[in-house]
Amino acid sequence: MCKDLTLGYDGKAVVSGLNFSINAGDYLCIVGENGSGKSTLMKTLLRLKSPMSGSIETGEGLHSNEIGYLPQQNVVQKDFPASVREVVRSGCLNRSGWRPFYSQSEKKRADDAMERLSILPLATRCYRELSGGQQQRTLLARALCATGKILLLDEPASGLDPKAAIEMYELIAGLNKDGTTIIMVSHDVGAFLKYSTHVLHIGRAEALYFGTKADYLKSEAGKIYAGGQTAGQGREGVSE
């Protein structure tokens, strides 16, 4: 639960008055214009950045090292010289502490995540030799190694071709169906209208919105941002 959050940097507020709550099993999409504070919010939820004011309360049994994170890829990440298995297993590092090795249960957790995302046959392949879609699956499997409870995803289909993007969204939807809570930043209107249960629209004070997807479509922010699209359209006609 987030109460009266004000977020910003260098003493300058980017967004203020954020109030929203997330329940187990929700699929929340965070939307808004460029520069509205979406990435800053993600960093704050990950405890990488402190809010300027307000508070974040986590439910019982959820620890900060049990939040899986899939960031937007950069050029350095795409050229990472490690095997798929090594990348996926690194998601267990928060759990392993100072141990210089992975336990048998952590190795199995990594293999299970790779199998769940259909990349186990790629386990020995070099990460940088994979296609964009395969790299994103690898990073998603890595996030799953950190937790099966909640995943924070920052534009998970960015840069993927339409087929790979649809496959990525379907994988994420499957994880949500299996009980994983999803918090996703996305500019893909068709995707968030199809898959999300709740929407958080941030930006100008008059455009702030949090609630169900159905109610969002009826709101002023939803009518403008969603452009009249209806839930279930998928990616067709979506502006990236």
Side-chain angles (χ1 to χ4, degrees), residues 20 22 28 32 35 44 78-79 91 101 126 174 190 196 200 231 238:
F20 63 96
I22 304 164
L28 173 70
T44 304
K78 290 182 178 181
D79 200 38
F101 58 87
C126 183
S196 69
L200 173 65
V238 176

Side-chain angles (χ1 to χ4, degrees), residues 25-46:
D26 283 351
Y27 192 139
L28 173 70
C29 276
I30 302 173
V31 301
E33 306 299 331
N34 290 334
S36 60
K38 299 186 296 297
S39 294
T40 302
L41 175 58
M42 291 289 267
K43 292 176 182 177
T44 304
L45 293 176
L46 288 165

Side-chain angles (χ1 to χ4, degrees), residues 82-162:
S83 72
V84 168
R85 177 172 280 122
E86 289 171 330
V87 172
V88 174
R89 285 181 178 177
S90 69
C92 297
L93 289 176
N94 278 348
R95 294 170 174 267
S96 61
W98 293 101
R99 282 189 285 109
F101 58 87
Y102 296 109
S103 67
Q104 288 301 315
S105 63
E106 289 166 344
K107 292 177 181 178
K108 184 179 185 304
R109 186 180 184 88
D111 284 351
D112 288 345
M114 288 188 286
E115 185 173 13
R116 174 69 179 83
L117 299 181
S118 302
I119 57 171
L120 190 55
L122 304 176
T124 59
R125 289 274 303 278
C126 183
Y127 175 80
R128 63 184 176 189
E129 295 174 356
L130 304 180
S131 67
Q134 290 169 335
Q135 286 187 340
Q136 284 298 82
R137 288 185 185 220
T138 300
L139 294 180
L140 184 57
R142 180 183 185 277
L144 277 177
C145 276
T147 180
K149 293 182 179 180
I150 181 169
L151 294 177
L152 271 60
L153 314 174
D154 193 352
E155 298 286 356
S158 177
L160 300 184
D161 63 63

